[in-house]
Amino acid sequence: MNKLFNDLFSISSHSDERVQQKQTKIFAQAGFFALVIAVTDMVVRGIVMGRPTVEWSGSLIVLVGFSLFYSVRTIFAGLYDPNVDEEGKIKQKIKLSFFESIVMAIGIAIGTQISSGFPVDSMEWFKFSLKLIIIFLVFFGYKYIALKLSWKRSNKDLMP
Amino acid sequence: MAVSKVKITRIEKGLTQLELAQLVQVTRQTIGLIELGKYNPTLKLCIDIARALDKTLDDLFWEEE
């Protein structure tokens, strides 16, 4: 599976390692350049000019696609957090991610609540709490899975 | 700049840059850059070059301080 993926997305198959390295670097820079153009387009048309979403949705798709591809590749390459190189550090990192996710969830939940006003009755508080829990679960779930999976992948070939 | 050991050995063996490049499956430019010290080859390529020139890694790439 991994070999098939690497073959499908191999940027350079030149026998010369120097040429391969240069081509890979140039392709990476070209990809980053495309991303910068997409983000610039979103900022200019979406925020500065206030154009309808449909006009810059293509750039949004590029940004989301790039982010997803980068995240998945990073996790499966075992590079989500290269500093995690022993069992103890992964537990520490999960603890840290837990608290980061709580702060993030509270921040986003309050931030999205500002425009509609803060909850007044029990039903609104329930909705607010549900939103808080969902945001926390999404953030922490992603970080937990990414850390665990990345750890497994980075040690895959080192296991006896 | 000192002439690299790779270049000296290659010339002693009567090989051109292109011939050595073909032996180790790289481009002539890569050999040229290695000889000039402007490209750091991977260990695999160092071993390939050493084998192609019948030398050890130390003979070709070790530099006394």
Side-chain angles (χ1 to χ4, degrees):
Chain A
M1 182 67 189
N2 204 29
K3 191 187 175 304
L4 177 73
F5 187 85
N6 283 334
D7 286 347
L8 277 173
F9 287 92
S10 63
I11 288 162
S12 172
S13 54
H14 201 284
S15 63
D16 188 335
E17 60 175 39
R18 185 183 62 87
V19 176
Q20 252 190 47
Q21 284 167 14
K22 289 239 171 199
Q23 282 182 336
T24 307
K25 194 175 175 185
I26 292 166
F27 270 105
Q29 286 168 339
F32 189 73
F33 182 64
L35 180 74
V36 169
I37 289 176
V39 172
T40 308
D41 180 50
M42 279 173 57
V43 171
V44 172
R45 285 207 280 188
I47 299 171
V48 179
M49 295 171 75
R51 306 298 297 168
T53 313
V54 70
E55 275 193 22
W56 46 269
S57 56
S59 300
L60 183 65
I61 291 168
V62 170
L63 179 67
V64 172
F66 188 95
S67 309
L68 276 176
F69 189 92
Y70 182 82
S71 304
V72 172
R73 279 302 286 142
T74 309
I75 292 167
F76 279 87
L79 294 172
Y80 177 73
D81 191 341
N83 293 328
V84 176
D85 55 1
E86 56 172 329
E87 205 81 53
K89 280 189 189 168
I90 195 168
K91 282 177 189 156
Q92 261 184 351
K93 203 78 194 175
I94 287 171
K95 260 187 205 166
L96 186 70
S97 299
F98 183 83
F99 293 113
E100 276 176 359
S101 303
I102 290 176
V103 173
M104 190 87 94
I106 293 171
I108 292 174
I110 291 174
T112 53
Q113 206 68 31
I114 288 171
S115 58
S116 57
F118 281 89
V120 281
D121 56 31
S122 54
M123 192 57 198
E124 282 187 13
W125 271 111
F126 174 72
K127 281 183 186 168
F128 178 78
S129 310
L130 196 67
K131 191 197 292 183
L132 198 74
I133 291 167
I134 290 171
I135 296 170
F136 167 77
L137 285 177
V138 168
F139 273 103
F140 183 65
Y142 168 74
K143 285 188 172 188
Y144 182 85
I145 292 169
L147 271 168
K148 283 277 186 185
L149 204 59
S150 188
W151 167 256
K152 259 190 182 176
R153 298 290 297 191
S154 65
N155 286 282
K156 192 181 66 165
D157 297 328
L158 301 173
M159 301 287 183
Chain B
M1 183 190 278
V3 180
S4 83
K5 292 176 189 171
V6 175
K7 184 173 184 175
I8 296 167
T9 314
R10 176 179 62 75
I11 292 168
E12 281 172 357
K13 284 262 167 194
L15 291 170
T16 63
Q17 283 187 344
L18 186 63
E19 286 164 341
L20 178 59
Q22 284 167 345
L23 281 173
V24 295
Q25 292 185 312
V26 296
T27 56
R28 184 192 56 76
Q29 288 92 328
T30 299
I31 299 297
L33 289 169
I34 291 170
E35 288 181 354
L36 286 172
K38 289 187 176 175
Y39 174 66
N40 281 328
T42 60
L43 183 58
K44 184 187 171 298
L45 182 54
C46 291
I47 293 170
D48 287 347
I49 292 171
R51 283 205 175 119
L53 296 174
D54 288 322
K55 294 281 177 183
T56 65
L57 287 174
D58 276 5
D59 292 338
L60 294 179
F61 298 103
W62 186 255
E63 283 175 16
E64 296 296 334
E65 281 182 41

